[in-house]
Amino acid sequence: MNEIKFQEKIDSERKIEPKDWMPEDYRKHLIRQISQHAHSEIIGMQPEGNWISRAPSLRAKMILLAKVQDEAGHGLYLYSACETLGVSRQELIQQLHDGKAKYSSIFNYPTLSWADMGAIGWLVDGAAIVNQVSLQRTSYGPYSRGMIKICKEESFHQRQGYEIMAEMASGTPEQKEMAQDALNRFWWPSIMMFGPQDGDSPRTGNAMKWKIKRQTNDELRQSFIDKTVHQAEIIGLTIPDPDLKWNEERGHYDFGKMDWDEFWDVVNGKGPCNKQRLDHHKKAHIDGKWVRDAAKAYSEKQKDLVIN
Amino acid sequence: MSLLNYTLRIADSSLISGQRLAEWCSNAHTLEEDIALSNIALDLFGQANILLEYASDLDGKKTADDFAFKRNEREFFNLKLTEQPNGHFGDTIVKLFLFSSFNFLFYNKLSQSKNENLSAFAFKSLKEVKYHLKHSKSWIVRLGDGTKESNKKVQESLNSMWEFTGEFFEMDEIDIELNKKGIGVNNKSLKEDWNNIINTTILESKLKRPEDGYMQTGSKNGLHTEHLGHLLSEMQYLQRAYPNAKW
């Protein structure tokens, strides 16, 4: 009975709110998806954080720091959205540290030059936006509202990334080389950010039925590729895919084969920065324990003062 | 020339302080604190940017970025305190507290400067520094009056940073000259109010005020600790490696 009413609500485009009845699998699916999204924001601070101290101008430094700070803020919204489903931030972080929760694999690649700040903003945030714009209409209220907030900031991120790429692509030969190299390294991991192809994505069925997802991985990927090809042309960079070709009939770009073996390797821990990223997060958490303990002890003393 | 030098001293302290704080990004003990430290770093970079733009006007040739990215150690005039490595969170918060408590008083006076650029800058920055002071003070109190471990740690931080506070109140020829003209601040006159802030906070935090012993000096003449060179070589890397590139 509950289940029928629940589905009716979804089908009539009304949002599910924290106190509403929901199937256990819907709740689980959301916790997995939202926490993965939150962890991605937080782990994603590291590859860009890697260049804050070396940003080449005061302006670039401030923009990059503000951007990474936004990501911390996005992580906070998303952890909060997840908490409305009855799981604490502490538990979610523990799942991340235990390797039970995943984050976007793209952040397991290293940032090797300043152009990578451009590539991440342009491609990684660009791909994220395509996904998140679609998620603004997701069926779970807190998640949907979080996405609306996040999308506003993400479009600024993508612009700043593209601006870095455009400047470097029209700069000295060395800068142009860095820009092309960054595009070469980040292109394929970026388009694989949308996840496995629809035929290999076991959870897509329920997620679409419950309107957690509104578009499939392949639809989102295609839409990202279609809009990015032109952007690359404008700034004179070449997308590293010889099979990339406009298909008049489909009204979309055809593109080459993605290396899913590499994708799954990185998802399962065998990527260039998996260990580094997780160790970094754990270390910050462990190093900060004495501070959290002190804050807690202090606040308990204050409560005692009030009571006595 | 004196005015340029005076401006760079203030700008450099903000810049170097921001550079250090930004190193905390993704390393703090909670997300909330990560955001707070980034916020403060952003304020400090913003302050440095305003003043380096002004320095660029005064200089007539160099840009703000030239000042930030193309000067060597001996041409930087930031307080030595600001270039000290972050250490643990207690070390960083003590540095920030000492620096902000001084800056709060300094900007308060500088906002009355006859130089409109400096007074407008100080007026704007005062609001930011008030928050930096409030934030760092609240942590000094929580760490000092938190656990035994945190009290011990933050006391050690305070003891080790203390020798860098003497520089706050120094007056050299440039300071004296600009103070006479009503442009610069008489740093010595800030000492009493500073002592009050420090003593009240220390009392509330259950900490002990360190004895005044050896005090570091030299930054007004571009003499620094060994840490600054490493900080600059990292910060200036791209501008140095690709001198013809625009970013």
Side-chain angles (χ1 to χ4, degrees):
Chain A
M1 190 58 203
N2 276 336
E3 190 123 21
I4 294 170
K5 274 192 182 161
F6 170 83
Q7 192 62 46
E8 275 172 9
K9 203 165 184 187
I10 299 230
D11 293 340
S12 64
E13 297 294 330
R14 279 176 295 162
K15 297 288 179 224
I16 305 299
E17 296 299 336
K19 285 182 180 163
D20 296 346
W21 185 89
M22 62 185 83
E24 194 48 27
D25 281 347
Y26 177 82
R27 199 178 72 88
K28 276 191 191 151
H29 188 111
L30 277 171
I31 291 177
R32 190 181 50 242
Q33 181 169 334
I34 303 173
S35 71
Q36 186 170 326
H37 194 161
H39 297 324
S40 301
E41 296 281 357
I42 299 310
I43 297 292
M45 294 166 71
Q46 293 179 35
E48 290 178 288
N50 182 37
W51 281 89
I52 294 170
S53 67
R54 291 176 290 172
S57 70
L58 288 167
R59 181 174 177 271
K61 193 187 279 292
M62 288 190 275
I63 292 177
L64 183 61
L65 179 56
K67 175 175 190 273
V68 178
Q69 189 196 30
D70 281 349
E71 280 152 16
H74 297 173
L76 267 184
Y77 299 157
L78 289 162
Y79 283 129
S80 305
C82 226
E83 285 184 317
T84 64
L85 293 158
V87 53
S88 72
R89 202 203 300 182
Q90 185 49 45
E91 287 172 84
L92 296 170
I93 289 174
Q94 197 56 49
Q95 289 171 3
L96 174 69
H97 289 178
D98 294 344
K100 287 181 193 152
K102 303 279 186 213
Y103 54 86
S104 180
S105 273
I106 193 85
F107 302 121
N108 288 321
Y109 292 89
T111 52
L112 302 176
S113 83
W114 175 251
D116 292 12
M117 298 304 99
I120 288 187
W122 175 34
L123 302 174
V124 176
D125 291 314
I129 291 172
V130 170
N131 197 19
Q132 287 164 358
V133 162
S134 174
L135 284 171
Q136 291 182 95
R137 291 169 55 237
T138 192
S139 59
Y140 187 57
Y143 192 25
S144 158
R145 291 188 287 275
M147 279 302 119
I148 292 170
K149 247 174 160 177
I150 288 173
C151 276
K152 284 186 192 149
E153 291 177 350
E154 289 289 357
S155 56
F156 146 74
H157 295 174
Q158 196 203 9
R159 276 202 302 277
Q160 72 87 30
Y162 189 61
E163 185 189 295
I164 291 176
M165 280 309 241
E167 264 175 40
M168 292 187 72
S170 66
T172 64
E174 288 148 318
Q175 283 177 303
K176 181 158 188 184
E177 199 182 312
M178 278 188 246
Q180 183 62 53
D181 177 55
L183 173 56
N184 293 349
R185 283 181 287 113
F186 278 95
W187 174 253
W188 291 102
S190 297
I191 65 168
M192 287 195 277
M193 275 175 70
F194 295 96
Q197 281 164 295
D198 294 347
D200 303 320
S201 181
R203 296 196 188 97
T204 298
N206 271 342
M208 297 290 283
K209 182 178 110 192
W210 290 329
K211 298 192 180 173
I212 295 176
K213 287 178 79 160
R214 315 287 306 222
Q215 285 166 290
T216 68
N217 295 350
D218 283 336
E219 286 166 357
L220 293 165
R221 183 172 8 249
Q222 184 72 59
S223 134
F224 171 71
I225 291 173
D226 288 348
K227 68 179 198 172
T228 307
V229 172
H230 184 56
Q231 293 169 352
E233 278 166 7
I234 292 175
I235 57 177
L237 295 178
T238 310
I239 289 178
D241 178 359
D243 299 322
L244 197 69
K245 211 172 62 202
W246 178 250
N247 182 327
E248 196 66 54
E249 216 169 290
R250 288 203 312 129
H252 291 294
Y253 279 94
D254 290 337
F255 52 95
K257 250 182 114 177
M258 293 169 277
D259 184 351
W260 293 106
D261 290 341
E262 179 185 316
F263 176 82
W264 287 114
D265 272 351
V266 181
V267 168
N268 293 317
K270 286 178 271 177
C273 297
N274 293 55
K275 185 174 180 319
Q276 181 190 334
R277 300 290 186 238
L278 211 51
D279 285 352
H280 178 123
H281 195 272
K282 283 182 193 164
K283 182 175 185 303
H285 196 70
I286 293 166
D287 287 353
K289 185 176 183 297
W290 71 275
V291 181
R292 292 190 302 273
D293 288 347
K296 200 171 158 215
Y298 177 78
S299 108
E300 274 160 17
K301 284 184 204 174
Q302 298 309 300
K303 269 187 231 155
D304 289 347
L305 284 179
V306 175
I307 294 164
N308 297 325
Chain B
M1 200 57 200
S2 302
L3 183 58
L4 175 61
N5 196 300
Y6 193 77
T7 305
L8 288 175
R9 289 176 184 179
I10 311 169
D12 290 349
S13 285
S14 293
L15 176 61
I16 302 302
S17 212
Q19 178 77 5
R20 280 291 186 221
L21 272 185
E23 290 172 17
W24 271 98
C25 192
S26 83
N27 291 296
H29 58 271
T30 58
L31 267 178
E32 286 81 352
E33 190 58 27
D34 219 293
I35 294 174
L37 293 178
S38 298
N39 248 331
I40 298 175
L42 278 169
D43 285 344
L44 292 166
F45 288 135
Q47 292 171 11
N49 193 39
I50 294 174
L51 287 181
L52 292 177
E53 289 287 351
Y54 180 47
S56 162
D57 289 346
L58 292 171
D59 178 81
K61 277 188 200 151
K62 290 182 183 161
T63 65
D65 280 338
D66 289 342
F67 276 115
F69 297 96
K70 291 182 177 166
R71 275 182 298 154
N72 295 325
E73 291 94 314
R74 293 281 281 109
E75 299 163 301
F76 266 79
F77 303 110
N78 57 287
L79 292 161
K80 282 185 178 178
L81 175 74
T82 60
E83 74 209 29
Q84 298 312 303
N86 281 338
H88 57 61
F89 182 72
D91 295 329
T92 293
I93 225 66
V94 162
K95 265 193 336 170
L96 182 63
F97 169 65
L98 294 172
F99 180 57
S100 307
S101 55
F102 168 73
N103 257 351
F104 169 68
L105 300 168
F106 178 79
Y107 286 159
N108 199 20
K109 280 275 187 292
L110 190 67
S111 64
Q112 296 151 31
S113 168
K114 282 185 183 161
N115 178 302
E116 281 178 10
N117 285 287
L118 291 181
S119 66
F121 159 79
F123 186 75
K124 178 202 166 282
S125 306
L126 194 56
K127 276 185 269 179
E128 296 168 351
V129 170
K130 263 187 201 164
Y131 165 72
H132 306 171
L133 178 58
K134 190 177 160 202
H135 185 76
S136 55
K137 184 184 160 172
S138 79
W139 271 115
I140 299 277
V141 174
R142 275 179 278 176
L143 296 178
D145 192 15
T147 62
K148 259 189 190 164
E149 184 193 9
S150 68
N151 176 280
K152 183 169 176 280
K153 276 192 149 139
V154 77
Q155 181 69 57
E156 282 166 6
S157 311
L158 190 61
N159 297 347
S160 70
M161 294 300 161
W162 196 250
E163 67 182 39
F164 296 104
T165 59
E167 280 198 322
F168 296 170
F169 309 103
E170 287 178 355
M171 292 289 284
D172 73 349
E173 287 157 14
I174 292 177
D175 291 306
I176 294 169
E177 179 199 331
L178 291 179
N179 182 236
K180 270 189 190 153
K181 290 182 182 162
I183 294 173
V185 175
N186 178 358
N187 299 332
K188 281 204 168 78
S189 74
L190 306 175
K191 184 77 188 260
E192 203 184 319
D193 285 342
W194 186 75
N195 277 334
N196 281 337
I197 299 180
I198 299 297
N199 293 343
T200 326
T201 310
I202 280 181
L203 190 70
E204 202 184 327
S205 319
K206 310 210 165 129
L207 295 168
K208 291 193 192 75
R209 181 173 166 132
E211 296 286 327
D212 280 356
Y214 168 71
M215 285 290 176
Q216 295 270 353
T217 180
S219 68
K220 286 182 197 286
N221 296 313
L223 292 167
H224 291 276
T225 59
E226 290 174 350
H227 304 296
L228 183 68
H230 295 279
L231 180 150
L232 293 181
S233 57
E234 187 173 336
M235 183 173 89
Q236 299 178 334
Y237 145 70
L238 280 170
Q239 291 262 1
R240 302 281 195 176
Y242 304 97
N244 300 320
K246 283 201 184 108
W247 305 92

